Structure formats: C-alpha cells, structure tokens
Amino acid sequence: MKIFTSIFFLICICCSKLAAQEDSTQKLDEVVVYANKFAEKKKNLAQKIDVVTANAIAKFNSQNTGDLLVNTGSVFVQKSQQGGSSPVLRGFEASRILLVIDGIRMNNLIYRAGHLQNIISVDQNMLEQVEILYGPSSTIYGSDALGGVIHLRTKSPKLSLIDKTFSTGNAFARFSSANKEKSVHANMSIGGKKFAWLQSYTFSDFDDLKMGSNYTKAYPNFGRRSQYIQPAAGNDRIVTNADDRVQIFSGYRQWDIAQKFLYQQSEKISHQLNLQYSNSTDVPRYDRLQDLRNGNLRFAQWYYGPQKRLLGAYELNITSLKFADALRLNINYQDIEESRHTREYQRYDRLDSRMEKVNVAGFTLDGKKNWKKHELTMGVDGQFNNLKSTALRKNILTNISSPLDSRYPNGKNKMNTVALFAQHLFKFGSGKWILNEGLRFQKTNIHSVIADNSFFNFPFTQIKQNNFAVTGNFGLVNMPADDLRLTGNFSTGFRSPNVDDLSRIFESASSAKQLVIPNPGIKPEYTFNLDAGITKIIQQKIRFEVNLFYTWLRNAIVLAPFKLNGQDSVIYNGVLSGVMANQNKRIAFIYGFSSRFKIDFSKYLSFDNTFSFTYGRFLENKIKKPLDHIPPTLLKSSISFSKQKLSTEIYLMYNSWKRLKNYNITGEDNLQYATPDGMPEWFTLNWRGSYKMNKIMMLQIGVENLFDRNYRTFGSGFSSSGRNFIISGRAAF
C-alpha cells in the first residue's frame, strides 16, 4: 500500500506542474449522474463513478446486462451458467454490492453471498444510463452497498414540445453464432404536451454455447464437455458428447416487457407510473451438471425454474417549493419468484424442488435544497420484505409428491428496514474546492419462523434480529485548473444479515460434502474505506485517471464449521456431510487501484485503456489468508475510429492468472471448476463495427474472440464463448 501511495503522490506532483505550464482550454467532462438521488455533475462528487451511456450500450451490443458490464473493461463478472452474471466491485460480490433500478433497491431478503444472476432480469436494451459507484455507498443507499452500487436507469417517455404528437423509438434484431442467439427488441414513446407513453419489448433465445478450440498446452482438456446425462423418466443415460466443445444444457430463453406512463400536471408537478416484467424459461445450472460423485456425473437435472421479476412503481416529482427546490416520492412494489430443481442420476424417486416467492414493498421520499454555495439532499426510505419458502420431493414415475426441507424457514419470513439520511455539498475557494459529507441512520428488523422443525430438529424455531447502523462519508474535491481534478474520500458501509445469511439450509457446491444450516447469532458486517483519485487532461488530447482505495472489513460473515445438536456431521441426502454455518469470523482488508489512459489522436481516432488491480486478505490466527471474490487483474485496450457513417473498434480483453495460492479454499471461489493450478490467464482480441445506411437504419457486425481462445473467467464453472460472429440490424426514429 505504501508503494501505491508514493506513486500516487508522485503523479499528483507531476500533473500539478504540467497544469501550471500548459495553456489548455479543455475542461473536465460535465457528465450528469444521479448518485445523490438528484441530477448532479459527476465532477462535483468525491466518490469514483463510471457512467455507461445509451450510445455506449448500443455500441457494446451485449447479450445481457452482465455482458454489458464486462464490456466496460472495469467490472469483473462471474458466471455459473449462460443465464447468469454476478458482478464484482472492489472484491465484493452478490449481496455485498447493491443493485438499484430507477432509484429502487433490487436486493431483497434472499440475496445470497455467493454468486447471483438477478442482474440479467434487467433489460439492457431499455437502459438510458448505467452508473457504477465504487466503494461503500451506504449513506445514500443503505445496507449491502459495501463494494459499491450498480444503478440502472431506464428510458423515460418523452413529452412533445410542440402542438403535434411527438414519437420516437428504436428496434433491432441480432444473431450470434457461438450460441445461435436470436434476439429482437422494440421500444416506442408517444407523447403530447401533458401525457406520454413508453412501451418496450425484448425476446432472446440462446442455444447451448460453444467454447473455443485454442487450448493452452498445459490444459488441453480444460472445460471439455465429453459426457452428459440425458434425463428421462426411468431411463437416464450417460451420453458421449458429439462435440465436446458444445456446453450441452446451457441454453435458455428470456423475455422482458416495460411500460411507462408520464403525466405532466403542471410545470412544477409530474406523475410517472413504471411497470417492468422479466421472465425466462428454466435455466440449467451448468456448473452443477458437471459435478461428480464417486467418479461419475452426479446430477441428471439441476436447473433454476423461470426467474420472474415484476416491478410496479409510482413516482411524484415536484419542483420549486418554498422549502425545497425538488421533491421526489416513489412508492414501489416488487414480486419476485425463483426456484431450484435437482435430481441425481437414476434417482427417479426424488426430483427435489424448492420454491421462493418474495414480495417487497418500498418507498423513498427525497428532497433537495440549494442556497448560496450549499446543496443539501435529505430523505427517508423504507423496504418491507416477505418470503414464502416451500419445497417438495416428487417421484417422476408415479407423480407422487412428499414434503421436503425448504431452503429457508417454512413459516413467516420478514425483513423490514427504515432509514433517514442527509448528504451535503459545499463549494468554496471560488468553486475550486467541493466538500462532500453525509450521514445515515438505519434500523433493520428480521423475523423468521420454522413452522415444521421435524427435518432437522433445530434447537430453535424462531430467528429474530433488530439491528441499528450509523454510516457516513466525508470527501473533498479539488480542481486547481480546468484540466485537473484531485479527490480524497472516506466512507463507511454496512450490511445487515438477511434471511439468506441467517436461516438458509442448502448443500454446498464445494468438493467437500457439506450442509449449511441456520445460525441466529451473526451480526452486521462493516467496512471503512479510503479513496484517492486524480484526473488530468494533457494538451487537450490525453486523458489520464488513477484511483486508489483501501478497505477494512470487520465482522465479515463467512461459512465455517458448526455443530447441530452437538454433532459436527449429519446424514443428508444419504451422505455424511459436515455441518457448516455463517459466522462472524474475519477481520479483512482489500486494496487496489484502477486507471484509465485515453489518447485522442484526432477527432476520428482514439486509443483507450482501462486497468484494475485488487488484493484481499483476511486474518486467521494472525495469519494472512486469501479473501474470496477477489478478481484477477483486468485490462481492456482499444483503438476506435469513427467518421460520418462508419464506426469501427478493435479491442483486447485480458484477465491475469488466479493462482491456487490466491484461492480461498472454503469460500466461494469455486476451485473445483478451475485447473489444478488455478484459473489460467487469458486474453481475447475482438472487433466490432457499424455503418449507418441512412437516417433510420444501421448495420452492426462484430467478431468476439478472434483467435478462438478456450478460457473461463475466475470463479466460473462455465466456459466463455469461442469465436463468435455477431450481426445486428438497428432502426431508430
């Protein structure tokens, strides 16, 4: 850490001298973000924020929102199956980062600490902008925002500024060769002076994905799908794969619908109704279909049932009040359904199905006041979660079902939060200095009831917690010149245990035979974070950014050996399994840096690079050990050319080695899906281009993984695609 700090200050000194010597007229960008709830210039905020615009989203032409994040070159994404994407921010993943859509929390009481696929239920084709907030963001957003926030902002209806009705929209159709993807999308907005309507539809069909053929010499068979189980009632068969590069049982289909209504009551008052629906077919859990038991494939079936997400939200916006410049009220409701279905090879008597239905009601009330050189944002918010968890075991030959232990307690499950926050900006020193500070108070209540305790005979039948947290941030921005920006920021984050942490029951995916059981005694996790950053523009052509961070993690919740009724092992699914439970065990630290270096050779040609490094360790008996979820070093480097109707880009994506010594063996790093030495480094060379045929039509063509490299990303049990040809036709008006 001292080395990084020294380098940072050396860069600051050099760039400060350059700023004094140059007569540059280029200014720092004026990108507008909503990290503080209301529109704010990005340059005024001390926190590191990346912004992905609608133009970049269309340019990336990604298959889902997880792939969109990968395309930024700054976010690592883990995959357990094709229908999955689990983003990682600064070494934190899943329930330790917060997903927000249109200002509404997506995280709920069953977001787990392992790997999640929930982000793909957001249609990237409907997004207007993505804001990635790095580091603890609990002041504004509350629990779970330890590593940061991914704020997904969808398009809004557009009112007409003239007497005639105003309409706008776009559509596309896309085909990808590696998985025979067929996607279509269309959206349209129709608006008058007071009323506007927006409708969006997307449908995607993904076949089994084919991995690359260019294997490394050390691992010529890595990831090959040589055999698979063909499931059938009474006739499961192990089949030799005709093409062992095709990842059999990885395909699925998904459709997304969104609708918005906007009513502009007056110049000061507007109302908006936001409806979103996402659904899928069954999604095979590809990594688990590779699991072995006694040297043979274990599962004939392992799939997630249709992943359903329904969101309804009403939003009221009022401006120019006496006590506030802007006031926003959002009342929302989410209905989420997910399920897991497993059946072992030739066990026709037990197709195990576990279903979770989650209902979430929430509200936010935020206000903003500007006076002199001050900006104050204040708000109150709440979220009220309910879960119904059920399970059954079915004999697929007789269709007779019997009760089964559910993943979560089979009685009432509730988690409620209420909070109050304030965020303040103060500009001084002729606007060259900007102070950011904020404070949040949050109360979380959890109550789970085990209605049927006959499966495990736990020594408790209820789990209750009441947690109170205070978090804050203090940051400073200095802009001594129009082309130089320096930042420093201290922030704290917390995560209150949810129902998944406290009370889930499941069989671990690790190679060891383990059963995870509830533990009512765990406490909230806390992080303390320091950030420093510099942005410098040189000679109006070169942009240079560096951000360094150091995070302390306390009371970290981790899986560790446990006992059930005095026993450290129990028989589960006919196998003796070690008992595990979540516990507050670790004191940990994470540090790293990210950078961006861009050169505009001309207004047509540019060279852009992003780089990020993360290192994490926890202390156990005063010995430093690898922390899980820590991604390898990431690099994206691209050269792009754009002139008139033509745009083209060639880019390289790189992940460094994740060596065995840097794996957390008992955590969520999934060593069983890597090589004996860890996950090898890889790079891909890719190309994409577009040609605008007229004012309405555009053709996009791309080739991913030009060298057909065979690789997996760290933590993934699913291999990435081989050489992939993509063609899209887009229309906009």
Side-chain angles (χ1 to χ4, degrees):
M1 186 62 186
K2 292 181 179 179
I3 295 174
F4 293 135
T5 306
S6 301
I7 294 173
F8 172 73
F9 282 113
L10 180 62
I11 292 169
C12 288
I13 294 170
C14 294
C15 289
S16 297
K17 290 182 178 180
L18 284 168
Q21 294 169 0
E22 294 170 5
D23 183 21
S24 174
T25 58
Q26 182 174 332
K27 295 184 179 181
L28 296 165
D29 53 34
E30 298 287 333
V31 175
V32 173
V33 296
Y34 292 80
N36 279 9
K37 296 295 185 85
F38 295 93
E40 183 66 60
K41 292 179 180 177
K42 175 186 169 184
K43 68 178 184 179
N44 292 337
L45 302 179
Q47 185 175 17
K48 174 176 168 52
I49 303 172
D50 283 342
V51 178
V52 188
T53 63
N55 286 338
I57 293 169
K59 173 187 172 182
F60 292 159
N61 201 19
S62 307
Q63 292 189 355
N64 61 43
T65 309
D67 293 334
L68 165 64
L69 295 173
V70 172
N71 265 291
T72 66
S74 302
V75 179
F76 180 83
V77 175
Q78 181 273 352
K79 285 193 176 186
S80 296
Q81 64 276 341
Q82 186 173 194
S85 286
S86 189
V88 181
L89 299 180
R90 290 188 171 180
F92 292 95
E93 186 182 353
S95 60
R96 291 184 174 95
I97 64 173
L98 182 63
L99 304 181
V100 177
I101 184 164
D102 295 330
I104 302 164
R105 291 173 56 97
M106 291 181 62
N107 293 39
N108 57 54
L109 77 173
I110 62 170
Y111 265 44
R112 56 190 179 274
H115 311 293
L116 286 175
Q117 68 270 16
N118 301 71
I119 197 167
I120 71 168
S121 69
V122 176
D123 181 9
Q124 79 278 9
N125 305 296
M126 182 58 179
L127 294 176
E128 180 68 31
Q129 183 166 292
V130 179
E131 297 171 17
I132 306 167
L133 287 63
Y134 296 89
S137 308
S138 291
T139 304
I140 297 291
Y141 294 100
S143 180
D144 302 353
L146 300 183
V149 174
I150 299 175
H151 193 171
L152 307 146
R153 297 184 56 246
T154 61
K155 298 175 183 179
S156 293
K158 298 184 184 298
L159 294 168
S160 176
L161 302 178
I162 57 177
D163 292 334
K164 295 181 179 180
T165 299
F166 175 72
S167 60
T168 183
N170 61 72
F172 76 81
R174 180 176 60 227
F175 174 81
S176 302
S177 64
N179 57 359
K180 297 181 177 62
E181 177 213 6
K182 296 170 284 291
S183 292
V184 292
H185 166 80
N187 70 71
M188 185 175 184
S189 172
I190 301 175
K193 283 193 171 182
K194 286 187 172 290
F195 183 82
W197 162 87
L198 172 68
Q199 187 82 48
S200 172
Y201 300 93
T202 300
F203 174 78
S204 294
D205 185 341
F206 305 105
D207 204 343
D208 296 334
L209 185 70
K210 190 171 185 177
M211 66 185 80
S213 63
N214 185 7
Y215 292 80
T216 59
K217 292 181 180 180
Y219 315 103
N221 297 310
F222 181 50
R224 289 185 186 271
R225 182 74 154 145
S226 57
Q227 292 184 324
Y228 62 91
I229 296 175
Q230 184 65 60
N235 189 31
D236 286 346
R237 296 181 299 115
I238 296 179
V239 178
T240 299
N241 193 356
D243 185 345
D244 61 8
R245 291 169 49 215
V246 176
Q247 298 176 94
I248 300 294
F249 301 131
S250 62
Y252 74 104
R253 296 189 300 277
Q254 179 174 328
W255 48 97
D256 298 274
I257 303 171
Q259 190 167 49
K260 287 187 176 183
F261 300 93
L262 173 63
Y263 172 53
Q264 189 73 37
Q265 181 178 336
S266 67
E267 290 184 0
K268 298 181 180 180
I269 303 174
S270 68
H271 308 264
Q272 183 168 270
L273 182 63
N274 184 356
L275 303 173
Q276 300 175 20
Y277 179 69
S278 178
N279 198 1
S280 71
T281 59
D282 294 339
V283 179
R285 178 70 186 267
Y286 183 81
D287 59 348
R288 299 304 299 270
L289 292 174
Q290 303 171 78
D291 287 355
L292 303 176
R293 174 168 285 181
N294 300 322
N296 297 313
L297 290 171
R298 178 182 176 186
F299 290 105
Q301 294 173 277
W302 208 128
Y303 60 92
Y304 291 108
Q307 181 174 259
K308 300 177 183 179
R309 182 182 68 88
L310 174 66
L311 167 69
Y314 162 75
E315 185 170 288
L316 168 68
N317 282 279
I318 306 176
T319 59
S320 303
L321 295 166
K322 290 184 178 180
F323 60 89
D325 295 310
L327 187 71
R328 178 182 295 124
L329 170 67
N330 188 293
I331 301 172
N332 53 80
Y333 176 79
Q334 298 177 71
D335 191 337
I336 300 116
E337 183 178 323
E338 62 181 54
S339 58
R340 296 164 176 81
H341 308 265
T342 64
R343 183 175 66 82
E344 295 183 339
Y345 178 52
Q346 294 185 343
R347 289 305 306 261
Y348 311 113
D349 58 331
R350 56 185 202 190
L351 172 61
D352 294 349
S353 299
R354 292 176 170 86
M355 290 75 69
E356 326 302 336
K357 292 187 177 182
V358 178
N359 304 114
V360 185
F363 75 91
T364 60
L365 177 61
D366 306 311
K368 182 179 181 180
K369 178 68 176 178
N370 298 335
W371 75 99
K372 296 182 179 179
K373 298 180 180 180
H374 299 269
E375 296 180 13
L376 178 65
T377 302
M378 296 185 65
V380 58
D381 56 60
Q383 192 184 57
F384 310 96
N385 292 249
N386 285 278
L387 163 69
K388 183 178 181 181
S389 185
T390 58
L392 58 87
R393 173 169 286 172
K394 180 181 179 181
N395 187 312
I396 64 173
L397 300 179
T398 64
N399 286 325
I400 296 175
S401 298
S402 58
L404 184 68
D405 55 292
S406 55
R407 181 176 173 87
Y408 303 106
N410 47 21
K412 293 182 179 179
N413 294 279
K414 296 180 179 293
M415 185 176 78
N416 302 323
T417 65
V418 290
L420 175 69
F421 80 91
Q423 184 73 43
H424 175 240
L425 264 69
F426 173 50
K427 301 175 183 178
F428 60 99
S430 301
K432 292 183 178 181
W433 293 87
I434 304 174
L435 177 67
N436 296 196
E437 81 269 25
L439 198 63
R440 182 184 184 92
F441 304 92
Q442 178 159 323
K443 182 71 178 293
T444 304
N445 171 267
I446 301 175
H447 186 198
S448 287
V449 177
I450 302 174
D452 183 355
N453 197 25
S454 61
F455 289 101
F456 295 99
N457 191 29
F458 292 121
F460 50 84
T461 56
Q462 293 192 62
I463 297 173
K464 289 185 177 182
Q465 278 202 2
N466 288 284
N467 297 315
F468 180 76
V470 180
T471 54
N473 65 281
F474 184 90
L476 197 61
V477 179
N478 177 224
M479 291 181 286
D482 289 340
D483 54 7
L484 178 63
R485 179 174 177 268
L486 305 172
T487 61
N489 191 44
F490 172 75
S491 55
T492 63
F494 82 99
R495 190 175 78 88
S496 183
N498 60 18
V499 170
D500 185 86
D501 298 305
L502 289 165
S503 58
R504 64 176 167 168
I505 305 168
F506 82 107
E507 185 180 17
S508 173
S510 67
S511 55
K513 299 175 179 64
Q514 298 174 342
L515 175 68
V516 179
I517 66 169
N519 178 13
I522 55 177
K523 300 176 181 179
E525 301 175 292
Y526 292 91
T527 56
F528 306 88
N529 183 77
L530 281 171
D531 268 274
I534 178 173
T535 302
K536 172 62 183 168
I537 297 171
I538 303 172
Q539 297 179 351
Q540 303 184 44
K541 294 181 180 296
I542 301 173
R543 184 183 184 91
F544 179 73
E545 297 178 34
V546 175
N547 287 88
L548 302 96
F549 72 93
Y550 194 103
T551 302
W552 293 267
L553 176 61
R554 297 294 181 267
N555 270 358
I557 299 173
V558 297
L559 276 176
F562 204 62
K563 289 187 177 182
L564 175 59
N565 298 322
Q567 303 295 317
D568 58 11
S569 299
V570 297
I571 300 295
Y572 185 73
N573 279 339
V575 177
L576 183 66
S577 303
V579 177
M580 305 285 286
N582 281 324
Q583 300 166 63
N584 297 104
K585 283 282 188 179
R586 292 178 183 166
I587 297 175
F589 65 89
I590 305 173
Y591 66 78
F593 71 92
S594 62
S595 67
R596 184 184 182 191
F597 180 67
K598 183 180 181 183
I599 304 176
D600 291 322
F601 296 108
S602 69
K603 63 180 181 180
Y604 307 119
L605 183 65
S606 64
F607 177 53
D608 200 356
N609 300 268
T610 59
F611 181 88
S612 62
F613 167 82
T614 309
Y615 180 88
R617 291 292 185 267
F618 70 93
L619 299 178
E620 188 171 80
N621 298 323
K622 298 183 179 180
I623 299 174
K624 294 180 182 179
K625 295 185 177 182
L627 197 63
D628 50 355
H629 302 285
I630 304 300
T633 299
L634 309 179
L635 169 70
K636 179 185 178 182
S637 184
S638 67
I639 297 176
S640 58
F641 175 84
S642 182
K643 186 176 182 180
Q644 296 177 346
K645 298 180 178 182
L646 177 66
S647 178
T648 184
E649 178 185 18
I650 186 165
Y651 61 100
L652 180 144
M653 306 287 286
Y654 170 80
N655 277 204
S656 70
W657 260 97
K658 182 76 174 185
R659 298 284 183 182
L660 178 62
K661 65 180 181 180
N662 293 319
Y663 269 76
N664 183 306
I665 306 300
T666 60
E668 301 286 349
D669 285 350
N670 289 339
L671 181 59
Q672 68 271 28
Y673 302 127
T675 74
D677 302 309
M679 194 65 76
E681 67 178 348
W682 57 266
F683 78 90
T684 62
L685 189 64
N686 317 271
W687 171 82
R688 57 186 163 217
S690 64
Y691 181 75
K692 196 166 185 179
M693 294 178 283
N694 52 47
K695 292 182 179 180
I696 296 176
M697 301 296 296
M698 182 172 69
L699 178 67
Q700 289 180 291
I701 301 175
V703 186
E704 296 177 338
N705 196 359
L706 278 160
F707 297 143
D708 205 23
R709 183 72 180 266
N710 182 279
Y711 70 99
R712 280 185 180 177
T713 55
F714 159 66
S716 301
F718 180 71
S719 297
S720 299
S721 72
R723 188 180 296 114
N724 185 27
F725 295 91
I726 304 168
I727 183 168
S728 301
R730 289 182 181 268
F733 64 92

